[in-house]
């Protein structure tokens, strides 16, 4: 059998007891980040809870949850910021939790994000554990938690929800659960535009596995023709996968993203491209990285900002290097497709440049090479390294959220 087929046939190992160390470590990192944010914000006479639940995109999501779609802001330069740019799954969950509890919409957004961030951590562990073992799974979760922009995982934003759906969809693909993978991809497509990366991963895996099965079936038939005496034995020993679950997963996967985009087009009267016009009102679009390259080049006009320009170039180079290492380590194709598209969409979009680190947060497969390297170290050394990075991440997150611009 092929390498992917072997992984698909493997028995899932991600049980609650197995993931406990990863979730406990994740909780510790998140608590540290929140404590540092609270102290930093209090020193600046700001509310940490407001920063997490009622600023920037959080306000747009809660407004959708409370009032529905149709709200827009017209700026002096002619730009139109419409809440149709925000996909509906997070506001739906906020509305549901508000309806069944005394929580406000903002409180509901915070609770949803807190819960799904642990679901995301568990999903990341499940993928890494399935491929490389529990120790690598724990390290992958800790690395995701201590990312410099990890504080976003505790905000009423959609990154944690999307990462949870994407990670579990990819895990379902790796374990051959096609209908589950497609259903989760559908929900991911209702969460963020980058849900198309999950859809592409599901479709790629399904097509490749179909081609591999057909090839193996042809090889079996040739073997049978050459050895007629083995016909009955080979037919009994060789399972033939049913195509219907895989086909159902493929059909389900794009329905979320496609359904919302088509609904926006119908609502705006602009047809199938209506969502692109909504994004254009926010000055968002895909330009192949031209705007981002210009932004980096513009940093070299003065000495202090030139250091930031160098840092951006180094950061992009490291992302590309990590992806190359993922390819060389022969990560499963669905993970490579997903991580590649998430990274490309984040770097090549003409969106607000300060948000790019946040947009890269769901690209967790890029962390797997680092998790493997970390897993080879002794536990004490891992704890020291992760602890030091967690403190730095918490301080940076507090500084970042207390800044003037949105994350």
């Amino acid at each position: 059998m092929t390498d992917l087929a072997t992984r698909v046939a493997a028995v899932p190992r991600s049980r609650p007891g197995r993931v406990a160390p990863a979730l406990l470590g994740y909780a510790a990192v998140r608590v540290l980040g929140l404590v540092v944010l609270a102290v930093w914000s209090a020193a600046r006479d700001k509310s940490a809870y407001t920063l997490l639940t009622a600023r920037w995109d959080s306000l747009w999501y809660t407004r959708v949850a409370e009032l529905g779609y149709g709200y827009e802001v017209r700026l002096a330069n002619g730009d139109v910021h419409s809440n149709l740019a925000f996909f509906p799954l997070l506001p739906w969950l906020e509305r549901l939790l508000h309806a069944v509890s005394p929580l406000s919409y903002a409180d509901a957004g915070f609770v949803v994000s807190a819960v799904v961030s642990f679901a995301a951590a568990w999903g990341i562990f499940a993928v890494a554990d399935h491929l490389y073992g529990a120790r690598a799974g724990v390290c992958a979760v800790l690395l995701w938690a201590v990312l410099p922009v990890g504080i976003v995982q505790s905000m009423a934003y959609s990154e944690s929800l999307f990462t949870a759906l994407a990670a579990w969809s990819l895990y379902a693909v790796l374990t051959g659960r096609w209908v589950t993978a497609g259903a989760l991809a559908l929900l991911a497509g209702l969460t963020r535009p980058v849900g198309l990366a999950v859809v592409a991963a599901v479709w790629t895996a399904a097509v490749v596995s179909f081609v591999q099965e057909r090839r193996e079936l042809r090889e079996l038939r040739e073997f049978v023709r050459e050895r007629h005496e083995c016909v009955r034995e080979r037919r009994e020993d060789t399972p033939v996968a049913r195509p219907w679950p895989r086909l159902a997963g493929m059909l389900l996967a794009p329905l979320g993203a496609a359904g919302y985009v088509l609904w926006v087009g119908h609502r705006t009267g602009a047809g199938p491209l209506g969502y692109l016009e909504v994004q254009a009102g926010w000055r968002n679009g895909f330009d192949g990285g031209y705007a981002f390259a210009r932004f980096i080049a513009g940093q070299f006009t003065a000495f202090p900002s030139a250091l930031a320009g160098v840092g951006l170039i180094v950061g992009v180079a490291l992302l590309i290097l990590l992806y190359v290492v993922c390819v060389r380590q022969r990560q499963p194709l669905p993970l490579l497709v997903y991580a590649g598209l998430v990274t490309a969409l984040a770097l090549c979009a003409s969106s607000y440049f300060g948000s790019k680190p946040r947009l890269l947060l769901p690209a967790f497969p890029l962390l797997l090479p680092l998790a493997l390297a970390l897993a080879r170290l002794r536990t004490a050394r891992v704890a020291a390294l992760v602890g030091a990075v967690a403190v730095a991440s918490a301080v940076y997150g507090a500084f970042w959220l207390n800044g003037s611009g949105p994350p």
Side-chain angles (χ1 to χ4, degrees):
M1 296 177 69
T2 63
D3 186 50
L4 177 60
T6 301
R7 288 170 178 151
V8 167
V11 177
R13 300 179 295 176
S14 185
R15 300 184 180 93
R18 192 177 179 89
V19 74
L23 296 183
L24 288 173
Y26 179 77
V29 174
R30 290 273 53 82
V31 169
L32 174 63
L34 292 175
V35 169
V36 173
L37 175 64
V39 172
W40 190 298
S41 301
R44 295 174 58 86
D45 198 26
K46 291 185 178 181
S47 167
Y49 191 69
T50 299
L51 292 175
L52 293 170
T53 63
R55 288 194 71 187
W56 305 301
D57 289 8
S58 300
L59 287 175
W60 288 89
Y61 282 120
T62 55
R63 187 174 284 115
V64 172
E66 182 177 6
L67 303 175
Y69 286 104
Y71 177 81
E72 63 182 29
V73 175
R74 294 184 177 272
L75 306 184
N77 64 357
D79 290 345
V80 177
H81 289 184
S82 168
N83 64 359
L84 290 169
F86 296 87
F87 277 50
L89 185 56
L90 178 58
W92 286 348
L93 293 176
E94 291 175 347
R95 181 181 298 177
L96 175 62
L97 187 55
H98 170 76
V100 300
S101 73
L103 296 175
S104 68
Y105 291 104
D107 295 337
F110 180 75
V111 171
V112 168
S113 293
V115 172
V116 297
S117 70
F118 280 87
W122 193 341
I124 292 170
F125 174 86
V127 171
D129 178 31
H130 183 73
L131 297 175
Y132 306 117
R135 189 173 178 84
V138 173
C139 291
V141 170
L142 293 177
L143 287 172
W144 190 66
V146 302
L147 287 173
V149 294
I151 191 64
V152 174
Q153 298 161 17
S154 299
M155 298 179 68
Y157 273 37
S158 60
E159 273 73 18
S160 291
L161 176 60
F162 176 78
T163 304
L165 294 169
W168 283 109
S169 180
L170 291 170
Y171 179 72
V173 167
L174 295 176
T175 54
R177 303 173 180 181
W178 297 105
V179 175
T180 300
L184 291 171
L186 183 156
L187 294 175
L190 286 171
T191 306
R192 296 189 62 80
V194 75
L196 293 174
V198 188
V199 176
V202 172
W203 273 63
T204 301
V207 171
V208 169
S209 66
F210 178 81
V211 172
Q212 288 174 340
E213 287 177 4
R214 298 286 79 76
R215 184 188 303 118
E216 292 172 359
L217 184 58
R218 286 197 303 269
E219 292 174 354
L220 174 62
R221 288 173 177 170
E222 292 175 0
F223 176 83
V224 169
R225 292 192 191 99
E226 295 174 357
R227 294 171 176 81
H228 295 285
E229 66 276 9
C230 299
V231 171
R232 180 173 299 176
E233 179 182 351
R234 287 288 174 177
R235 284 180 177 172
E236 291 176 354
D237 292 347
T238 305
V240 178
R242 295 177 300 164
W244 302 116
R246 180 168 43 209
L247 180 60
M250 293 179 68
L251 292 175
L252 282 172
L255 294 182
Y260 182 69
V261 168
L262 291 175
W263 178 81
V264 170
H266 174 74
R267 183 182 177 97
T268 60
L273 300 180
Y275 184 77
L276 297 181
E277 293 188 5
V278 170
Q279 286 282 29
W282 287 80
R283 294 187 178 266
N284 289 338
F286 187 86
D287 62 2
Y290 175 72
F292 189 35
R294 287 189 60 188
F295 174 77
I296 295 176
Q299 302 303 303
F300 291 92
T301 57
F303 173 71
S305 62
L307 295 178
V310 172
L312 287 171
I313 292 174
V314 171
V316 172
L318 287 176
L319 285 173
I320 296 173
L321 177 60
L322 279 175
Y323 188 77
V324 171
V325 174
C326 291
V327 174
R328 289 181 175 177
Q329 291 183 344
R330 300 183 66 183
Q331 277 191 17
L333 185 59
L335 269 63
L336 294 176
V337 170
Y338 167 77
L341 285 176
V342 171
T343 304
L345 290 172
L347 295 181
C348 298
S350 59
S351 57
Y352 175 64
F353 303 110
S355 296
K356 289 191 180 294
R358 170 173 65 85
L359 300 179
L360 289 164
L361 196 62
F364 69 90
L366 296 180
L367 299 175
L368 295 183
L370 298 177
L372 280 173
L374 203 60
R376 298 188 185 103
L377 302 179
R378 294 180 179 178
T379 301
R381 183 170 294 183
V382 172
L385 286 173
V386 171
V389 177
V391 171
S393 174
V395 172
Y396 178 77
F399 166 78
W400 193 42
L401 286 196
N402 278 276
S404 59

